[in-house]
Amino acid sequence: MSISGKKILIAISGGIAAYKIHFLIRDFVKKGAEVQVIMTPDAEQFVTKLSISTLSKKPVYTDFYSDNGTWNSHVELALWADVMIVAPCTANTLSKMVHGMCDNLVIATYMSAKCPVFIAPAMDLDMYMHPSTRKNLEMAESFGHVVIPAESGELASGLIGQGRMAEPETISNTIDHFFNSHQEAQTLQGKVVLITAGPTYEALDPVRFIGNHSSGKMGFSLAEEASKRGAKVILISGPTAQTINDKNVELHKITSAKEMLAKVFEFYDTIDIGIASAAVADYAPKEVAKEKIKKNDENLTLELVKNPDILKTMGEKKTHQFLVGFALETQNEEDNAKGKLEKKNLDMIVLNSLRDEGAGFKNDTNKIKIFTRTEKKEFDLKSKDEVAKDILNFVEAQLLK
Ligand code: C5P
């Protein structure tokens, strides 16, 4: 997979090596990448916005506000990027990055970025070797960033040693290599995947609800993985602390089972795959009190009514959709799971047993068995991100049949 079509965010800080960034931008643009440049205020002493924007074909931002009064959203810039490259990265900018000293647009954008970050330091040899720089580079690496080491040679100071920013060609090759090796096969390209996730909350009164401990993690991991494989994902989630920032994932937050059902059927006709990982409350209070229910000396009896079974309804209305359900069982697990496969007209069911340590809806790990009408496969205890891969691999294999 090439760099063509990729979104590259370059952050320039104030070092003499900034002049080399012109060549890097030209190289990326020639290869078909989109390049957005942001600069620290000091970088403007070394390169002009005009020369950079002429090459990148986009306005260059140095501040949170533009002269015409528009706000340059660091969050939008950060989430737009497939990769962020800080080059040249001065000792000052490096230090601010690793310590979270957020006093300019570059650092605010960096701290909002979810994409891989590459750092090409450039400084004088003694600064480069200083224990504080060593420590800061180590910290940057511990955050998962890639440091493209400075090269040796003649420095702007006249001294000779290590500290020159890596050549644009080296930086470009590093990014090329990253895209070549990190691109997952786009096996779900063109497919629309709908995923339900998290718990539902069923209101008792304005302040109380009936809910459950579902974290939503399994559904969010599935959404991320499906997106990596090129799918368009519609993620419908009940209240959870999970977050997702992925341009292929459309997140719809709902509260109750009825709201989840309505949201699912806004999209149902358009989807190819439906995965119901939500822990939907089976019952809801018959009446929702308008005011907070007052405590008195009597016991309180609640009347609960059955909630819609979302997945069962999906199964009844199935035309072309491939449907995957989850079963969390405590007894007769396999029979119950297979029973649900039939009853809800599913193509596949994922069983996680509460008997297995580490499995279930509150943990970061899960241990699953998958059933179709004709197959059964058992998996080891894994992180939910890995389990999401197993589930989607299985779905893809079924679609090919
Ligand atoms: O019947 P049971 O609740 O055990 O079935 C679990 C499966 O059905 C899960 O995939 C869950 O997301 C889905 N479900 C649903 N709506 C309900 C109850 C369960 O979609 N009301």
Side-chain angles (χ1 to χ4, degrees), residues 64-82:
F64 292 98
Y65 305 94
S66 295
D67 292 343
N68 62 7
T70 48
W71 185 53
N72 304 322
S73 165
H74 55 278
V75 177
E76 252 172 51
L77 284 165
L79 296 183
W80 168 87
D82 293 317

Side-chain angles (χ1 to χ4, degrees), residues 116-151:
V117 176
F118 294 78
I119 298 171
M123 55 199 84
D124 206 55
L125 80 163
D126 295 318
M127 291 171 84
Y128 192 60
M129 287 305 162
H130 194 278
S132 68
T133 305
R134 297 288 97 212
K135 195 91 200 141
N136 289 343
L137 286 172
E138 253 173 47
M139 271 172 82
E141 280 178 331
S142 77
F143 297 167
H145 305 334
V146 178
V147 175
I148 307 171
E151 294 172 4

Side-chain angles (χ1 to χ4, degrees), residues 220-238:
F220 278 68
S221 293
L222 281 161
E224 233 166 61
E225 184 58 29
S227 157
K228 280 189 197 153
R229 297 177 184 209
K232 172 175 184 252
V233 181
I234 297 157
L235 176 59
I236 302 174
S237 172

Side-chain angles (χ1 to χ4, degrees), residues 81-101:
D82 293 317
V83 292
M84 178 172 189
I85 308 170
V86 187
C89 184
T90 59
N92 180 42
T93 289
L94 173 67
S95 165
K96 287 181 183 176
M97 286 167 72
V98 297
H99 293 100
M101 186 172 167

Side-chain angles (χ1 to χ4, degrees), residues 197 216-224 235 237 240 242-244 251:
K217 175 87 184 77
M218 192 65 249
F220 278 68
S221 293
L222 281 161
E224 233 166 61
L235 176 59
S237 172
T240 121
Q242 303 294 326
T243 56
I244 196 158
L251 174 63

Side-chain angles (χ1 to χ4, degrees), residues 2 28 69 72 75 83 86 143 172 183 193 257 300 319 322 333 339 363-364 376:
S2 78
F28 285 149
N72 304 322
V75 177
V83 292
V86 187
F143 297 167
S172 178
Q183 193 68 37
V193 181
L300 177 70
T319 52
F322 185 92
E333 291 128 329
N363 293 305
D364 280 339
K376 169 186 168 180

